[in-house]
Amino acid sequence: FTVISMAARRILLTGGAGYIGSHTYLALHDAGYRVTILDSFANARRSVINRLEMITGAPVHFIEADVRDSVALGNLFNETNFDAVVHFAALKAVGESVARPLDYFDVNVGGLTSLLRSMDSAGCRRLVFSSSATVYGVPDVTPTPESAEFRAMNPYGQTKITSEQVLDWVSASDPRWAIGILRYFNPAGAHASAMIGEDPRDIPNNLMPYIARVATGALEKVSVFGDDYETPDGTGVRDYIHVEDLARGHLLSLKKLFETDTGHTVNLGTGRGYSVLEVIDAYKRASNKDLPYEIVGRRAGDVPIYVAEASKAAEILGFETEKGMDEMCASSWAWINSPHSGDDA
Ligand code: NAD
Ligand code: WQD
């Protein structure tokens, strides 16, 4: 009986055509949820929807809309009784957020409040929210626990801090809200099918997609941003988490919300850090390519070390990662070589 009622549950995924959202779509679909994707394609390719259909062999319920469009949201919530929302839709380029802060506050914070209003009117008050390790700024402690204080490093980070605070006040205002806040560390890798993955249109900002393009020969060499940090080899250390593990974290967060109707705020990471040079090395092995790199100056605003204290997610959600760095690199390499990455649609 429980299984049948679970299977009938309806979930709205905003930003579901994006990198993490598309992988989460597959995890939720596999678990038997009925999922609707809402995306504006501000940072996704339309063909993602077809590819999700090819992978699952089932039609995707999809609506093209901006999450700030309260009329579109109102109509959607009138048509469908959603049991919960997983909210990925946001802008995420740190450098761009410094140049265009208003766009970031508008989409990331305004988009959230618009969504919360529609949810409240419809009586749907379970939400999983994409937050980020960036809310910790330069943390005093690594591995960093959820209790570490908020420190904004840039407008993007501030939008995630403000969003979390909005969610805390909304939860406090009405006990019917149940909100899961997930602070992702560094998502990497791609789906095992090699049909979806991270697919930036321009030169990538992030390390793993940049390395991938050096491995294919599309870019000449990796610029390593600083080797004078207080880390074992002097380069920046991050907690990379396989995007399929991350997607499963959303499934567990939703499950917890349904079981308890109580919210949670947890880190999603592995608890293990890799330096830039270690990532280059791992990718070299996965791709069997030479990966030329050059040490250049530090990137403005970079943090020396981000590693998650991962025990709270294990305890509260039962979340443990299953895939390591080698699988992140191998799946990224399979994806970048797939005909589906970099398509124009
Ligand atoms: P992404 O850009 O691939 O996905 C975001 C999706 O939202 C895209 O499909 C985009 O088209 C859509 N979107 C953007 N603005 C929209 C709007 N106004 N209305 C409707 N749809 C809109 O990014 P991602 O890496 O999948 O990130 C998903 C979420 O996770 C974001 O909230 C991001 O801030 C957060 N996050 C990402 C990382 C990371 O490193 N990738 C780390 C921590 C947190
Ligand atoms: C990883 C490491 C760089 C590129 C960013 C956002 C963060 C989050 C995830 C959403 C660092 C180094 C990188 C390159 C390099 N997004 N590097 N050469 O900076 O940890 O996080 O994305 O919430 O908010 O800031 O990720 O992949 O850019 O960098 O040496 O060409 O690789 O200095 O040490 P980052 P990243």
Side-chain angles (χ1 to χ4, degrees):
F1 176 75
T2 323
V3 172
I4 292 165
S5 70
M6 276 276 294
R9 279 185 170 139
R10 304 214 53 150
I11 315 289
L12 174 63
L13 281 195
T14 76
Y19 173 44
I20 305 166
S22 57
H23 290 81
T24 303
Y25 174 86
L26 294 173
L28 298 189
H29 176 86
D30 281 355
Y33 288 105
R34 296 165 69 196
V35 187
T36 298
I37 291 177
L38 178 146
D39 203 292
S40 67
F41 293 116
N43 191 39
R45 294 168 210 260
R46 281 166 214 281
S47 65
V48 168
I49 304 299
N50 303 327
R51 286 184 263 134
L52 291 174
E53 292 182 335
M54 283 159 75
I55 296 169
T56 59
V60 172
H61 297 271
F62 168 73
I63 161 167
E64 180 168 348
D66 193 297
V67 73
R68 293 166 295 176
D69 181 344
S70 51
V71 175
L73 284 182
N75 290 338
L76 184 59
F77 279 96
N78 279 338
E79 280 163 21
T80 309
N81 273 324
F82 291 108
D83 297 292
V85 178
V86 184
H87 179 47
F88 295 102
L91 301 177
K92 64 161 183 178
V94 171
E96 187 184 68
S97 82
V98 177
R100 297 184 4 225
L102 289 176
D103 289 346
Y104 277 69
F105 284 100
D106 199 29
V107 174
N108 295 9
V109 181
L112 174 66
T113 56
S114 138
L115 174 68
L116 291 169
R117 272 199 189 284
S118 302
M119 289 177 67
D120 199 36
S121 305
C124 169
R125 297 188 186 84
R126 293 185 197 99
L127 175 72
V128 177
F129 177 72
S130 304
S131 189
S132 167
T134 195
V135 300
Y136 300 125
V138 180
D140 295 333
V141 184
T142 50
T144 305
E146 289 81 355
S147 55
E149 64 185 59
F150 286 146
R151 284 180 189 155
M153 301 280 289
N154 48 61
Y156 170 73
Q158 182 66 62
T159 67
K160 291 295 176 186
I161 292 171
T162 304
S163 295
E164 285 203 21
Q165 290 170 330
V166 167
L167 292 172
D168 285 348
W169 286 114
V170 166
S171 294
S173 74
D174 184 337
R176 290 175 299 175
W177 283 97
I179 298 175
I181 295 177
L182 306 181
R183 295 179 180 155
Y184 316 152
F185 280 65
N186 287 54
H191 192 254
S193 65
M195 290 181 67
I196 55 167
E198 190 170 16
D199 206 2
R201 283 176 199 275
D202 305 319
I203 294 179
N205 297 310
N206 294 116
L207 182 62
M208 181 100 43
Y210 198 102
I211 293 177
R213 280 163 177 72
V214 175
T216 63
L219 293 169
E220 192 195 331
K221 60 181 174 218
V222 184
S223 299
V224 176
F225 299 144
D227 68 350
D228 55 354
Y229 287 107
E230 279 190 30
T231 60
D233 66 19
T235 67
V237 169
R238 296 292 183 272
D239 184 340
Y240 297 91
I241 174 170
H242 196 294
V243 67
E244 289 197 83
D245 277 329
L246 191 57
R248 199 165 38 79
H250 294 74
L251 192 61
L252 294 173
S253 175
L254 271 178
K255 200 168 150 239
K256 190 75 185 172
L257 296 183
F258 283 126
E259 278 169 13
T260 63
D261 265 323
T262 306
H264 48 263
T265 298
V266 298
N267 290 334
L268 292 183
T270 66
R272 154 93 153 94
Y274 284 83
S275 74
V276 177
L277 296 181
E278 285 177 315
V279 177
I280 293 175
D281 229 46
Y283 213 99
K284 228 186 242 175
R285 286 195 303 275
S287 63
N288 210 12
K289 295 281 175 191
D290 229 23
L291 290 175
Y293 69 85
E294 179 187 15
I295 309 287
V296 301
R298 292 182 178 193
R299 181 169 65 178
D302 257 354
V303 173
I305 306 182
Y306 269 136
V307 175
E309 166 56 63
S311 56
K312 192 175 172 196
E315 203 177 295
I316 294 190
L317 304 182
F319 177 73
E320 308 269 357
T321 56
E322 290 170 0
K323 292 168 187 256
M325 179 54 69
D326 291 342
E327 283 156 298
M328 295 180 223
C329 293
S331 60
S332 157
W333 180 236
W335 160 242
I336 193 88
N337 285 298
S338 131
H340 298 291
S341 73
D343 71 5
D344 287 329

